[in-house]
mmCIF file of all heavy atoms in Angstrom:
data_model
loop_
_atom_site.group_PDB
_atom_site.id
_atom_site.type_symbol
_atom_site.label_atom_id
_atom_site.label_comp_id
_atom_site.label_asym_id
_atom_site.label_seq_id
_atom_site.Cartn_x
_atom_site.Cartn_y
_atom_site.Cartn_z
ATOM 1 N N ASN A 1 -31.361 -29.753 28.989
ATOM 2 C CA ASN A 1 -32.778 -29.958 29.322
ATOM 3 C C ASN A 1 -33.158 -29.261 30.619
ATOM 4 O O ASN A 1 -33.848 -29.836 31.481
ATOM 5 C CB ASN A 1 -33.099 -31.455 29.431
ATOM 6 C CG ASN A 1 -33.146 -32.136 28.083
ATOM 7 O OD1 ASN A 1 -33.062 -31.492 27.053
ATOM 8 N ND2 ASN A 1 -33.265 -33.447 28.093
ATOM 9 N N THR A 2 -32.714 -28.031 30.761
ATOM 10 C CA THR A 2 -32.918 -27.306 32.009
ATOM 11 C C THR A 2 -33.356 -25.874 31.721
ATOM 12 O O THR A 2 -32.853 -25.234 30.789
ATOM 13 C CB THR A 2 -31.623 -27.294 32.847
ATOM 14 O OG1 THR A 2 -31.224 -28.648 33.108
ATOM 15 C CG2 THR A 2 -31.849 -26.588 34.182
ATOM 16 N N VAL A 3 -34.284 -25.397 32.534
ATOM 17 C CA VAL A 3 -34.701 -24.001 32.491
ATOM 18 C C VAL A 3 -34.382 -23.380 33.846
ATOM 19 O O VAL A 3 -34.446 -24.063 34.879
ATOM 20 C CB VAL A 3 -36.195 -23.874 32.137
ATOM 21 C CG1 VAL A 3 -37.083 -24.527 33.183
ATOM 22 C CG2 VAL A 3 -36.588 -22.426 31.932
ATOM 23 N N TYR A 4 -34.027 -22.117 33.820
ATOM 24 C CA TYR A 4 -33.595 -21.419 35.035
ATOM 25 C C TYR A 4 -34.457 -20.191 35.283
ATOM 26 O O TYR A 4 -35.008 -19.597 34.357
ATOM 27 C CB TYR A 4 -32.138 -20.974 34.896
ATOM 28 C CG TYR A 4 -31.184 -22.079 34.541
ATOM 29 C CD1 TYR A 4 -30.810 -22.299 33.216
ATOM 30 C CD2 TYR A 4 -30.656 -22.909 35.523
ATOM 31 C CE1 TYR A 4 -29.933 -23.320 32.879
ATOM 32 C CE2 TYR A 4 -29.771 -23.933 35.191
ATOM 33 C CZ TYR A 4 -29.426 -24.138 33.873
ATOM 34 O OH TYR A 4 -28.560 -25.154 33.545
ATOM 35 N N LEU A 5 -34.518 -19.802 36.543
ATOM 36 C CA LEU A 5 -35.121 -18.526 36.905
ATOM 37 C C LEU A 5 -34.180 -17.844 37.883
ATOM 38 O O LEU A 5 -34.046 -18.281 39.025
ATOM 39 C CB LEU A 5 -36.497 -18.711 37.530
ATOM 40 C CG LEU A 5 -37.236 -17.411 37.846
ATOM 41 C CD1 LEU A 5 -37.614 -16.674 36.552
ATOM 42 C CD2 LEU A 5 -38.480 -17.669 38.687
ATOM 43 N N GLN A 6 -33.512 -16.810 37.410
ATOM 44 C CA GLN A 6 -32.653 -16.005 38.269
ATOM 45 C C GLN A 6 -33.485 -14.909 38.902
ATOM 46 O O GLN A 6 -34.123 -14.130 38.189
ATOM 47 C CB GLN A 6 -31.509 -15.391 37.447
ATOM 48 C CG GLN A 6 -30.605 -14.476 38.241
ATOM 49 C CD GLN A 6 -29.769 -15.218 39.276
ATOM 50 O OE1 GLN A 6 -29.225 -16.272 38.991
ATOM 51 N NE2 GLN A 6 -29.677 -14.650 40.471
ATOM 52 N N MET A 7 -33.499 -14.881 40.223
ATOM 53 C CA MET A 7 -34.312 -13.903 40.941
ATOM 54 C C MET A 7 -33.396 -13.025 41.787
ATOM 55 O O MET A 7 -32.649 -13.527 42.631
ATOM 56 C CB MET A 7 -35.328 -14.617 41.826
ATOM 57 C CG MET A 7 -36.261 -15.553 41.063
ATOM 58 S SD MET A 7 -37.600 -16.185 42.080
ATOM 59 C CE MET A 7 -36.681 -17.146 43.263
ATOM 60 N N ASN A 8 -33.473 -11.733 41.556
ATOM 61 C CA ASN A 8 -32.664 -10.762 42.280
ATOM 62 C C ASN A 8 -33.566 -9.801 43.049
ATOM 63 O O ASN A 8 -34.765 -9.720 42.781
ATOM 64 C CB ASN A 8 -31.777 -9.984 41.314
ATOM 65 C CG ASN A 8 -30.841 -10.870 40.512
ATOM 66 O OD1 ASN A 8 -30.317 -11.862 41.032
ATOM 67 N ND2 ASN A 8 -30.629 -10.532 39.261
ATOM 68 N N SER A 9 -32.969 -9.074 43.962
ATOM 69 C CA SER A 9 -33.706 -8.074 44.748
ATOM 70 C C SER A 9 -34.996 -8.663 45.301
ATOM 71 O O SER A 9 -36.080 -8.074 45.178
ATOM 72 C CB SER A 9 -34.012 -6.842 43.882
ATOM 73 O OG SER A 9 -32.827 -6.282 43.372
ATOM 74 N N LEU A 10 -34.875 -9.823 45.908
ATOM 75 C CA LEU A 10 -36.058 -10.531 46.393
ATOM 76 C C LEU A 10 -36.757 -9.764 47.499
ATOM 77 O O LEU A 10 -36.120 -9.092 48.326
ATOM 78 C CB LEU A 10 -35.674 -11.927 46.861
ATOM 79 C CG LEU A 10 -35.439 -12.924 45.719
ATOM 80 C CD1 LEU A 10 -34.657 -14.136 46.209
ATOM 81 C CD2 LEU A 10 -36.766 -13.355 45.115
ATOM 82 N N LYS A 11 -38.081 -9.896 47.501
ATOM 83 C CA LYS A 11 -38.935 -9.223 48.476
ATOM 84 C C LYS A 11 -39.715 -10.272 49.262
ATOM 85 O O LYS A 11 -39.954 -11.372 48.757
ATOM 86 C CB LYS A 11 -39.916 -8.302 47.752
ATOM 87 C CG LYS A 11 -39.274 -7.297 46.817
ATOM 88 C CD LYS A 11 -40.343 -6.523 46.058
ATOM 89 C CE LYS A 11 -39.731 -5.536 45.086
ATOM 90 N NZ LYS A 11 -40.769 -4.781 44.331
ATOM 91 N N PRO A 12 -40.158 -9.929 50.460
ATOM 92 C CA PRO A 12 -40.981 -10.893 51.225
ATOM 93 C C PRO A 12 -42.206 -11.370 50.440
ATOM 94 O O PRO A 12 -42.609 -12.539 50.589
ATOM 95 C CB PRO A 12 -41.373 -10.094 52.470
ATOM 96 C CG PRO A 12 -40.249 -9.130 52.657
ATOM 97 C CD PRO A 12 -39.829 -8.749 51.266
ATOM 98 N N GLU A 13 -42.752 -10.530 49.609
ATOM 99 C CA GLU A 13 -43.933 -10.930 48.835
ATOM 100 C C GLU A 13 -43.603 -11.917 47.713
ATOM 101 O O GLU A 13 -44.510 -12.421 47.044
ATOM 102 C CB GLU A 13 -44.657 -9.706 48.259
ATOM 103 C CG GLU A 13 -43.772 -8.727 47.520
ATOM 104 C CD GLU A 13 -43.316 -7.570 48.402
ATOM 105 O OE1 GLU A 13 -42.924 -7.809 49.567
ATOM 106 O OE2 GLU A 13 -43.334 -6.422 47.903
ATOM 107 N N ASP A 14 -42.339 -12.196 47.505
ATOM 108 C CA ASP A 14 -41.948 -13.239 46.562
ATOM 109 C C ASP A 14 -42.014 -14.633 47.194
ATOM 110 O O ASP A 14 -41.832 -15.635 46.500
ATOM 111 C CB ASP A 14 -40.529 -12.999 46.052
ATOM 112 C CG ASP A 14 -40.407 -11.749 45.199
ATOM 113 O OD1 ASP A 14 -41.309 -11.506 44.367
ATOM 114 O OD2 ASP A 14 -39.412 -11.021 45.378
ATOM 115 N N THR A 15 -42.262 -14.686 48.498
ATOM 116 C CA THR A 15 -42.360 -15.966 49.186
ATOM 117 C C THR A 15 -43.497 -16.799 48.614
ATOM 118 O O THR A 15 -44.646 -16.334 48.551
ATOM 119 C CB THR A 15 -42.573 -15.744 50.691
ATOM 120 O OG1 THR A 15 -41.409 -15.114 51.239
ATOM 121 C CG2 THR A 15 -42.822 -17.063 51.407
ATOM 122 N N ALA A 16 -43.174 -18.009 48.181
ATOM 123 C CA ALA A 16 -44.167 -18.880 47.546
ATOM 124 C C ALA A 16 -43.495 -20.205 47.194
ATOM 125 O O ALA A 16 -42.268 -20.335 47.269
ATOM 126 C CB ALA A 16 -44.720 -18.232 46.283
ATOM 127 N N VAL A 17 -44.313 -21.145 46.799
ATOM 128 C CA VAL A 17 -43.805 -22.341 46.142
ATOM 129 C C VAL A 17 -43.733 -22.032 44.651
ATOM 130 O O VAL A 17 -44.710 -21.565 44.064
ATOM 131 C CB VAL A 17 -44.705 -23.563 46.404
ATOM 132 C CG1 VAL A 17 -44.165 -24.779 45.651
ATOM 133 C CG2 VAL A 17 -44.793 -23.854 47.893
ATOM 134 N N TYR A 18 -42.573 -22.291 44.074
ATOM 135 C CA TYR A 18 -42.353 -22.001 42.660
ATOM 136 C C TYR A 18 -42.416 -23.297 41.853
ATOM 137 O O TYR A 18 -41.745 -24.285 42.189
ATOM 138 C CB TYR A 18 -41.009 -21.310 42.474
ATOM 139 C CG TYR A 18 -41.058 -19.856 42.862
ATOM 140 C CD1 TYR A 18 -41.162 -19.483 44.198
ATOM 141 C CD2 TYR A 18 -41.014 -18.846 41.911
ATOM 142 C CE1 TYR A 18 -41.238 -18.151 44.574
ATOM 143 C CE2 TYR A 18 -41.082 -17.501 42.268
ATOM 144 C CZ TYR A 18 -41.194 -17.175 43.599
ATOM 145 O OH TYR A 18 -41.271 -15.847 43.966
ATOM 146 N N TYR A 19 -43.212 -23.254 40.795
ATOM 147 C CA TYR A 19 -43.436 -24.419 39.950
ATOM 148 C C TYR A 19 -42.921 -24.155 38.542
ATOM 149 O O TYR A 19 -43.112 -23.073 37.986
ATOM 150 C CB TYR A 19 -44.920 -24.739 39.863
ATOM 151 C CG TYR A 19 -45.560 -25.117 41.171
ATOM 152 C CD1 TYR A 19 -46.127 -24.147 41.995
ATOM 153 C CD2 TYR A 19 -45.611 -26.446 41.587
ATOM 154 C CE1 TYR A 19 -46.723 -24.484 43.194
ATOM 155 C CE2 TYR A 19 -46.207 -26.790 42.783
ATOM 156 C CZ TYR A 19 -46.761 -25.806 43.581
ATOM 157 O OH TYR A 19 -47.344 -26.155 44.773
ATOM 158 N N CYS A 20 -42.355 -25.195 37.991
ATOM 159 C CA CYS A 20 -41.918 -25.194 36.601
ATOM 160 C C CYS A 20 -42.998 -25.895 35.778
ATOM 161 O O CYS A 20 -43.620 -26.857 36.253
ATOM 162 C CB CYS A 20 -40.588 -25.944 36.536
ATOM 163 S SG CYS A 20 -39.971 -26.303 34.923
ATOM 164 N N ALA A 21 -43.219 -25.433 34.548
ATOM 165 C CA ALA A 21 -44.243 -26.029 33.702
ATOM 166 C C ALA A 21 -43.774 -26.058 32.253
ATOM 167 O O ALA A 21 -42.992 -25.207 31.830
ATOM 168 C CB ALA A 21 -45.541 -25.240 33.814
ATOM 169 N N ALA A 22 -44.276 -27.047 31.511
ATOM 170 C CA ALA A 22 -43.895 -27.218 30.106
ATOM 171 C C ALA A 22 -45.123 -27.212 29.215
ATOM 172 O O ALA A 22 -46.185 -27.723 29.587
ATOM 173 C CB ALA A 22 -43.134 -28.531 29.927
ATOM 174 N N ARG A 23 -44.926 -26.646 28.038
ATOM 175 C CA ARG A 23 -45.996 -26.563 27.057
ATOM 176 C C ARG A 23 -45.453 -27.020 25.709
ATOM 177 O O ARG A 23 -44.608 -26.344 25.126
ATOM 178 C CB ARG A 23 -46.506 -25.126 26.943
ATOM 179 C CG ARG A 23 -47.550 -24.922 25.871
ATOM 180 C CD ARG A 23 -47.943 -23.462 25.743
ATOM 181 N NE ARG A 23 -49.086 -23.300 24.856
ATOM 182 C CZ ARG A 23 -49.662 -22.150 24.581
ATOM 183 N NH1 ARG A 23 -49.182 -21.040 25.106
ATOM 184 N NH2 ARG A 23 -50.684 -22.091 23.771
ATOM 185 N N ARG A 24 -45.946 -28.145 25.247
ATOM 186 C CA ARG A 24 -45.492 -28.652 23.961
ATOM 187 C C ARG A 24 -46.034 -27.751 22.854
ATOM 188 O O ARG A 24 -47.217 -27.441 22.805
ATOM 189 C CB ARG A 24 -45.996 -30.083 23.768
ATOM 190 C CG ARG A 24 -45.555 -30.738 22.488
ATOM 191 C CD ARG A 24 -44.130 -31.240 22.582
ATOM 192 N NE ARG A 24 -43.666 -31.764 21.311
ATOM 193 C CZ ARG A 24 -43.897 -32.987 20.866
ATOM 194 N NH1 ARG A 24 -44.602 -33.837 21.608
ATOM 195 N NH2 ARG A 24 -43.431 -33.376 19.701
ATOM 196 N N THR A 25 -45.141 -27.331 21.957
ATOM 197 C CA THR A 25 -45.576 -26.462 20.877
ATOM 198 C C THR A 25 -44.594 -26.544 19.715
ATOM 199 O O THR A 25 -43.397 -26.757 19.909
ATOM 200 C CB THR A 25 -45.695 -24.999 21.344
ATOM 201 O OG1 THR A 25 -46.044 -24.183 20.226
ATOM 202 C CG2 THR A 25 -44.373 -24.484 21.919
ATOM 203 N N TYR A 26 -45.108 -26.362 18.487
ATOM 204 C CA TYR A 26 -44.256 -26.324 17.305
ATOM 205 C C TYR A 26 -43.759 -24.907 17.014
ATOM 206 O O TYR A 26 -42.844 -24.715 16.226
ATOM 207 C CB TYR A 26 -44.994 -26.863 16.075
ATOM 208 C CG TYR A 26 -45.317 -28.325 16.182
ATOM 209 C CD1 TYR A 26 -46.613 -28.756 16.425
ATOM 210 C CD2 TYR A 26 -44.314 -29.289 16.053
ATOM 211 C CE1 TYR A 26 -46.911 -30.102 16.529
ATOM 212 C CE2 TYR A 26 -44.600 -30.635 16.161
ATOM 213 C CZ TYR A 26 -45.902 -31.032 16.397
ATOM 214 O OH TYR A 26 -46.191 -32.366 16.502
ATOM 215 N N SER A 27 -44.384 -23.943 17.673
ATOM 216 C CA SER A 27 -44.020 -22.550 17.415
ATOM 217 C C SER A 27 -42.752 -22.172 18.171
ATOM 218 O O SER A 27 -42.675 -22.374 19.377
ATOM 219 C CB SER A 27 -45.149 -21.621 17.845
ATOM 220 O OG SER A 27 -44.713 -20.288 17.828
ATOM 221 N N PRO A 28 -41.783 -21.577 17.499
ATOM 222 C CA PRO A 28 -40.542 -21.179 18.179
ATOM 223 C C PRO A 28 -40.685 -19.919 19.013
ATOM 224 O O PRO A 28 -39.761 -19.565 19.752
ATOM 225 C CB PRO A 28 -39.561 -20.953 17.028
ATOM 226 C CG PRO A 28 -40.436 -20.579 15.887
ATOM 227 C CD PRO A 28 -41.706 -21.358 16.060
ATOM 228 N N THR A 29 -41.853 -19.247 18.911
ATOM 229 C CA THR A 29 -42.024 -17.999 19.657
ATOM 230 C C THR A 29 -43.151 -18.058 20.681
ATOM 231 O O THR A 29 -43.304 -17.147 21.472
ATOM 232 C CB THR A 29 -42.295 -16.837 18.692
ATOM 233 O OG1 THR A 29 -43.489 -17.126 17.956
ATOM 234 C CG2 THR A 29 -41.134 -16.629 17.733
ATOM 235 N N LEU A 30 -43.922 -19.122 20.677
ATOM 236 C CA LEU A 30 -45.058 -19.199 21.592
ATOM 237 C C LEU A 30 -44.587 -19.410 23.019
ATOM 238 O O LEU A 30 -43.680 -20.201 23.271
ATOM 239 C CB LEU A 30 -45.979 -20.336 21.170
ATOM 240 C CG LEU A 30 -47.336 -20.429 21.874
ATOM 241 C CD1 LEU A 30 -48.176 -19.202 21.547
ATOM 242 C CD2 LEU A 30 -48.053 -21.697 21.474
ATOM 243 N N VAL A 31 -45.217 -18.721 23.968
ATOM 244 C CA VAL A 31 -44.853 -18.890 25.370
ATOM 245 C C VAL A 31 -46.067 -19.328 26.184
ATOM 246 O O VAL A 31 -46.162 -20.466 26.600
ATOM 247 C CB VAL A 31 -44.249 -17.603 25.960
ATOM 248 C CG1 VAL A 31 -43.880 -17.827 27.430
ATOM 249 C CG2 VAL A 31 -43.018 -17.195 25.171
ATOM 250 N N GLY A 32 -47.006 -18.413 26.405
ATOM 251 C CA GLY A 32 -48.154 -18.709 27.246
ATOM 252 C C GLY A 32 -47.975 -18.142 28.630
ATOM 253 O O GLY A 32 -46.865 -18.103 29.170
ATOM 254 N N THR A 33 -49.084 -17.684 29.214
ATOM 255 C CA THR A 33 -49.053 -17.116 30.558
ATOM 256 C C THR A 33 -50.119 -17.708 31.468
ATOM 257 O O THR A 33 -50.153 -17.393 32.659
ATOM 258 C CB THR A 33 -49.241 -15.585 30.503
ATOM 259 O OG1 THR A 33 -50.509 -15.314 29.908
ATOM 260 C CG2 THR A 33 -48.144 -14.921 29.686
ATOM 261 N N ARG A 34 -50.981 -18.529 30.948
ATOM 262 C CA ARG A 34 -52.057 -19.108 31.746
ATOM 263 C C ARG A 34 -51.704 -20.519 32.201
ATOM 264 O O ARG A 34 -51.022 -21.252 31.485
ATOM 265 C CB ARG A 34 -53.348 -19.152 30.930
ATOM 266 C CG ARG A 34 -53.814 -17.822 30.364
ATOM 267 C CD ARG A 34 -55.032 -18.042 29.488
ATOM 268 N NE ARG A 34 -54.738 -19.031 28.439
ATOM 269 C CZ ARG A 34 -55.675 -19.720 27.799
ATOM 270 N NH1 ARG A 34 -56.949 -19.535 28.103
ATOM 271 N NH2 ARG A 34 -55.337 -20.573 26.864
ATOM 272 N N ARG A 35 -52.198 -20.892 33.357
ATOM 273 C CA ARG A 35 -51.991 -22.265 33.840
ATOM 274 C C ARG A 35 -52.466 -23.273 32.813
ATOM 275 O O ARG A 35 -51.817 -24.304 32.578
ATOM 276 C CB ARG A 35 -52.750 -22.480 35.151
ATOM 277 C CG ARG A 35 -52.145 -21.792 36.345
ATOM 278 C CD ARG A 35 -52.900 -22.153 37.607
ATOM 279 N NE ARG A 35 -52.839 -23.572 37.913
ATOM 280 C CZ ARG A 35 -53.388 -24.137 38.976
ATOM 281 N NH1 ARG A 35 -54.056 -23.383 39.828
ATOM 282 N NH2 ARG A 35 -53.278 -25.425 39.205
ATOM 283 N N ALA A 36 -53.593 -22.994 32.185
ATOM 284 C CA ALA A 36 -54.174 -23.937 31.230
ATOM 285 C C ALA A 36 -53.330 -24.112 29.976
ATOM 286 O O ALA A 36 -53.530 -25.064 29.215
ATOM 287 C CB ALA A 36 -55.575 -23.480 30.845
ATOM 288 N N ASP A 37 -52.385 -23.205 29.752
ATOM 289 C CA ASP A 37 -51.521 -23.318 28.571
ATOM 290 C C ASP A 37 -50.505 -24.443 28.722
ATOM 291 O O ASP A 37 -49.941 -24.906 27.743
ATOM 292 C CB ASP A 37 -50.767 -22.005 28.349
ATOM 293 C CG ASP A 37 -51.673 -20.860 27.925
ATOM 294 O OD1 ASP A 37 -52.733 -21.133 27.340
ATOM 295 O OD2 ASP A 37 -51.312 -19.694 28.193
#
């Protein structure tokens, strides 16, 4: 029950608070890119 984000070659502009989010879906291929998703 875990998702990971491996980040390499980090840059100063990557500085931020990073949030994890979940989207309930029946589709095995759906992802989403909007906050509202």
Side-chain angles (χ1 to χ4, degrees):
N1 286 353
T2 302
V3 62
Y4 306 96
L5 184 67
Q6 177 69 43
M7 302 189 295
N8 301 323
S9 302
L10 283 162
K11 305 175 182 180
E13 50 264 44
D14 293 318
T15 295
V17 178
Y18 283 71
Y19 297 90
C20 171
R23 176 184 189 178
R24 182 79 185 277
T25 177
Y26 294 106
S27 169
T29 60
L30 190 64
V31 180
T33 60
R34 304 175 305 159
R35 287 184 62 178
D37 292 334

